[in-house]
Amino acid sequence: MVEIELDGKKVEVPEGSTVMQAAEKLHTYIPHFCYHKKLSIAANCRMCLVDIEKAPKPMPACATPVTQGMIVRTKSEKAVQAQQAVMEFLLINHPLDCPICDQGGECQLQDLAVGYGGSTSRYAEEKRVVPSKDVGPLISMEEMSRCIHCTRCVRFGQEIAGVMELGMSHRGEHSEIEAFVGSTVDSELSGNMIDICPVGALTSKPFRYKARTWELSRRKSISPHDSTGANLVVQVKNGQVMRVVPFENEAVNECWIADRDRFSYEALNGPDRLTRPMIKQGGQWQEVDWQTALEFVATGLRDIQREKGPQAIGALISPHVTCEEAYLTRALIRGLGSDNLDYRLRNAEFPAFEGVRWLGMPITDLSRLDSVLVVGSNLRKDHPLFAQRIRQAARHGAQVCRFDAGGTDWAMPMAHQQAVRAADWAQAMADVAVAIARAKGLPAPAPGVATEAAEAIARVLLREGKSAAVLLGNGAAHHANASTLLALAQWIGNAVGARVGYLTEAANTVGMQLVGVQPQAQGRNAAEMLSGAVDALLLVQNEPVYDSAAGDKAREALARCALVVSLTPFKANLDFSDVLLPVAPFTETSGTFVNAEGRVQSFNAVVKPLGETRPAWKVLRVLGNLLELPGFDAESTQEILATLRASWGEGALVREDLLNNRTAAPIRIESNAGEPVVASIYQLDSLVRRAPSLQATADGRLGREGGQA
């Protein structure tokens, strides 16, 4: 440790720290623009100049390493004069358009100009003008004359997103930030550039000119998309969601969010919103009141239960709904005497298992891995924030290996990557297991050949004293041989001392398992229900044509059902549903998600439900009461969560062990599996599918055309 004195206060910081980091430890603010705690040091704005004793001139705090006994003054006359001089230079060419700038009110330059700017300018010449750029549907670069060349956006692309999509061209007064010729900004994390821009050069194109920052109410929430559980700040004006930005949580999403977390809010007020209950009569949809709709559903379920038996009734639940909604759906179906319920809509295999298929480690540990094998995942698109953490590990020397169908760049250094058709993933893993078994003198768990590729991956995983992991992606989870892949992964993990886990697909995939939303005995699984094995089906916030492995086949099968009830925020499933019940999306209800690491995160509604929309848990509670079922008397989601927590027990929700999927050696290898069904990045759920800006991106267009984005 090194001790320095900063503004008269002693502070100890690790050797190699900078003056800026020492100031942060003391909670002393030093003005800056180019410095960001998550990015490399650029030291090109010079706003953080400080007075260091014995130094001939002010030094940049962000780039000056501490030395033992250093004396720093951040508010001396010398330091303040230097900072004021830098501010004067920055304002020479900055346009005086604060009244119409979207960044007004949350602009770092505007804030610091109050303290360090002059009341007059000595500069009388014309200001430089930089032409606007079109870099896609998400980021606006209309006013690049405001840019102060801090290069945060450039460094973010290189270091965090992994793709240098913006760069600085030319020199001197002709310098400007731009994309490569004819290119757009297509990173799945690109919206974070808007947040880190300290001026109004990069702004949100969907939000542009919609509201002033001081008009917005800020409310915390949790992302309903992938399994990161990113913490959000949802900004609201006049009861309408206007913008979504990250809420910093180092243990989950750091200070970043994916673009689908940021821009999917557009769907909340789109033309597809369902605001009143609807019943199909004579092939035509009619709007009705809630009482009529719920009595129609209750009567229909009773009739089918009486005539066909309880096993004729089932429910398919989206893994993007809350634990509370899942719990009441389970209570409803089981209360009717059925065991037909499932959340595994895209799976091809449905084994009975105990325990929880989860990440197998805290999310923060992804950044600290030394070796990792990822199987069956388009990591960068399926889990952008997990990919970002593994990217940081790779930049610091971690060796990353992958088995998948190939064709996509993960934007990170790769130790080994092998494009393998899905039917051969199990054999490729068995080959790695054989190579590891040979190296450690163990019996191999399955027949295989220690190929050159298998040997290379085995060497990566066998590195002594290193933190290793084997991670199974969405493709592996949805695979027809998912249990075999897990068994091989567990054998490899046990042999090399690596942790094993799933990069779980949805916001509440782990929560669905904890609640028990899958058949326990003779119940029908998702594939069976989607092939027409039930007469009455509840669809809880999912669209089987888009959200299931059945795809278009589900439309014909569900059309044969006597009763299909869709609880949905949107006008969806119109072809085969008999009743549409408008339920609230995540911004209009309270509830709980459990992310991939087993972290329980509850949230509240940020706006009132639109029209006659109601929270799904309230709809299910009333439906349970109409059916005279026990256990439907909860008055709040907190009450339901308390019931769930009591059943989960004390301590960690998920253990180090994935449980009950260990197959005794030799493991049988099947090679007749087809391609697993995996949603592309902007087709994952009903919200992102209806967000116009996301659908206009390169990934959005590719996803609609049927490619994997």
Side-chain angles (χ1 to χ4, degrees):
M1 299 292 283
V2 176
E3 183 181 81
I4 71 167
E5 181 182 306
L6 193 144
D7 290 342
K9 298 177 182 177
K10 300 284 188 181
V11 61
E12 282 193 347
V13 290
E15 189 174 351
S17 300
T18 64
V19 172
M20 182 72 80
Q21 290 166 327
E24 287 178 342
K25 189 170 182 179
L26 281 175
H27 304 291
T28 298
Y29 179 72
I30 298 175
H32 60 271
F33 293 114
C34 68
Y35 172 77
H36 190 281
K37 64 182 179 181
K38 294 290 183 181
L39 303 177
S40 62
I41 302 299
N44 53 9
C45 79
R46 317 309 281 187
M47 191 66 209
C48 65
L49 293 175
V50 294
D51 179 10
I52 298 177
E53 193 170 275
K54 298 182 181 178
K57 59 183 180 179
M59 303 291 287
C62 68
T64 304
V66 296
T67 57
Q68 183 65 36
M70 176 184 280
I71 298 175
V72 181
R73 300 180 184 89
T74 68
K75 297 177 177 64
S76 68
E77 184 178 354
K78 183 178 179 181
V80 172
Q81 283 182 350
Q83 293 161 358
Q84 288 174 338
V86 170
M87 178 60 71
E88 183 177 16
F89 277 118
L90 288 174
L91 294 178
I92 281 175
N93 277 306
H94 199 78
L96 302 177
D97 61 351
C98 291
I100 59 100
C101 178
D102 249 22
Q103 199 84 345
E106 51 188 12
C107 171
Q108 219 173 324
L109 182 65
Q110 189 180 58
D111 293 342
L112 292 178
V114 174
Y116 299 91
S119 57
T120 60
S121 174
R122 292 180 282 177
Y123 187 81
E125 288 77 12
E126 290 183 1
K127 293 181 182 286
R128 71 192 286 263
V129 175
V130 180
S132 62
K133 286 100 175 162
D134 184 1
V135 292
L138 304 181
I139 299 176
S140 173
M141 297 179 73
E142 288 295 316
E143 285 90 14
M144 290 307 293
S145 299
R146 299 170 184 161
C147 179
I148 61 171
H149 302 160
C150 70
T151 68
R152 280 184 177 182
C153 56
V154 178
R155 285 175 287 145
F156 174 84
Q158 288 177 299
E159 299 163 17
I160 306 299
V163 184
M164 185 179 173
E165 296 180 293
L166 295 177
M168 183 178 287
S169 61
H170 312 303
R171 300 188 67 181
E173 69 170 334
H174 301 294
S175 299
E176 56 182 287
I177 300 291
E178 57 185 341
F180 296 104
V181 179
S183 298
T184 55
V185 174
D186 297 319
S187 165
E188 60 285 348
L189 298 172
S190 66
N192 294 290
M193 294 181 185
I194 299 167
D195 292 337
I196 63 175
C197 180
V199 294
L202 304 182
T203 53
S204 168
K205 193 171 278 189
F207 174 70
R208 186 175 167 79
Y209 298 141
K210 296 290 175 62
R212 288 298 199 177
T213 179
W214 52 84
E215 299 176 307
L216 301 172
S217 300
R218 292 161 173 77
R219 292 151 191 177
K220 287 179 60 178
S221 191
I222 304 297
S223 168
H225 305 304
D226 65 40
S227 59
T228 307
N231 289 206
L232 310 176
V233 174
V234 181
Q235 301 185 346
V236 176
K237 178 186 177 184
N238 296 333
Q240 184 172 327
V241 175
M242 304 299 292
R243 184 168 63 167
V244 175
V245 296
F247 180 84
E248 186 170 349
N249 186 336
E250 280 295 317
V252 180
N253 56 294
E254 300 175 86
C255 55
W256 316 120
I257 55 174
D259 286 351
R260 64 183 168 200
D261 302 327
R262 184 182 303 271
F263 296 107
S264 65
Y265 75 88
E266 286 186 293
L268 298 172
N269 300 297
D272 269 4
R273 278 301 298 271
L274 179 69
T275 57
R276 293 197 66 193
M278 300 178 75
I279 295 177
K280 188 185 289 182
Q281 296 178 329
Q284 299 296 314
W285 285 102
Q286 305 290 332
E287 290 187 346
V288 296
D289 58 60
W290 270 104
Q291 186 70 22
T292 302
L294 291 172
E295 287 180 354
F296 181 91
V297 173
T299 300
L301 291 174
R302 278 199 208 95
D303 290 347
I304 290 170
Q305 180 190 34
R306 183 178 60 255
E307 295 170 11
K308 302 289 184 69
Q311 287 302 318
I313 299 171
L316 293 174
I317 307 173
S318 168
H320 300 273
V321 307
T322 67
C323 290
E324 293 83 355
E325 292 162 357
Y327 171 80
L328 290 178
T329 305
R330 187 195 71 177
L332 182 72
I333 295 300
R334 296 228 165 103
L336 290 169
S338 174
D339 192 31
N340 303 328
L341 74 161
D342 211 341
Y343 71 93
R344 300 166 294 177
L345 302 181
R346 294 189 175 100
N347 286 29
E349 184 195 61
F350 301 89
F353 64 89
E354 298 174 359
V356 178
R357 295 182 170 186
W358 66 296
L359 185 59
M361 67 188 80
I363 290 173
T364 52
D365 284 5
L366 293 175
S367 308
R368 306 185 188 113
L369 292 172
D370 298 304
S371 310
V372 58
L373 170 61
V374 182
V375 179
S377 174
N378 183 3
L379 182 65
R380 180 180 162 192
K381 303 299 182 181
D382 292 347
H383 302 91
L385 294 173
F386 289 169
Q388 186 275 134
R389 285 191 179 268
I390 294 175
R391 185 175 297 119
Q392 301 316 307
R395 290 181 67 239
H396 290 96
Q399 296 194 348
V400 182
C401 305
R402 61 186 275 203
F403 283 142
D404 55 31
T408 58
D409 178 15
W410 285 6
M412 68 178 73
M414 301 295 300
H416 182 81
Q417 52 187 326
Q418 188 175 357
V420 181
R421 67 189 187 102
D424 296 329
W425 288 351
Q427 187 59 62
M429 289 187 72
D431 292 346
V432 173
V434 168
I436 291 171
R438 180 182 298 175
K440 296 189 71 90
L442 300 171
V449 178
T451 63
E452 185 177 338
E455 293 276 8
I457 293 173
R459 284 194 295 272
V460 169
L461 295 174
L462 283 165
R463 293 196 298 166
E464 290 294 328
K466 300 296 184 180
S467 173
V470 181
L471 300 175
L472 301 172
N474 295 351
H478 302 164
H479 202 280
N481 297 329
S483 293
T484 301
L485 294 175
L486 176 57
L488 287 165
Q490 288 179 316
W491 187 94
I492 291 170
N494 289 335
V496 302
R499 287 176 286 184
V500 178
Y502 276 96
L503 299 159
T504 54
E505 179 187 38
N508 210 21
T509 299
V510 171
M512 294 294 113
Q513 297 172 73
L514 291 168
V515 174
V517 184
Q518 54 195 39
Q520 300 299 308
Q522 303 302 313
R524 306 286 191 180
N525 60 45
E528 292 169 330
M529 284 187 271
L530 287 169
S531 64
V534 292
D535 291 279
L537 190 61
L538 266 64
L539 301 175
V540 183
Q541 297 206 43
N542 63 83
E543 301 170 71
V545 173
Y546 305 105
D547 292 331
S548 77
D552 278 326
K553 295 177 182 176
R555 183 180 282 111
E556 182 180 345
L558 295 182
R560 297 196 297 269
C561 290
L563 178 66
V564 176
V565 181
S566 290
L567 286 75
T568 171
F570 303 103
K571 295 173 184 173
N573 303 329
L574 297 174
D575 294 354
F576 46 78
S577 291
D578 299 288
V579 185
L580 298 181
L581 301 178
V583 297
F586 79 107
T587 51
E588 299 169 19
T589 187
S590 58
T592 303
F593 293 140
V594 183
N595 72 356
E597 68 174 359
R599 182 181 295 263
V600 179
Q601 300 187 108
S602 296
F603 57 92
N604 294 313
V606 299
V607 292
K608 292 180 180 179
L610 188 65
E612 294 185 27
T613 298
R614 297 290 180 267
W617 71 270
K618 289 187 176 181
V619 174
L620 291 163
R621 182 189 64 185
V622 174
L623 193 53
N625 289 330
L626 286 174
L627 290 166
E628 299 178 346
L629 301 176
F632 286 84
D633 52 1
E635 294 295 324
S636 68
T637 53
Q638 289 82 0
E639 195 175 327
I640 301 170
L641 181 61
T643 302
L644 281 170
R645 280 190 175 279
S647 68
W648 293 338
E650 297 296 325
L653 289 180
V654 287
R655 307 292 193 265
E656 291 298 321
D657 197 347
L658 289 175
L659 299 176
N660 203 35
N661 272 95
R662 301 184 184 283
T663 305
I667 298 171
R668 184 179 177 184
I669 305 296
E670 301 281 353
S671 60
N672 57 356
E675 287 290 328
V677 176
V678 178
S680 62
I681 184 169
Y682 298 139
Q683 295 292 319
L684 180 64
D685 57 64
S686 58
L687 276 175
V688 294
R689 277 196 295 272
R690 290 174 171 84
S693 295
L694 293 178
Q695 295 306 314
T697 63
D699 282 340
R701 294 193 301 271
L702 182 61
R704 291 197 306 278
E705 292 164 5
Q708 172 65 58

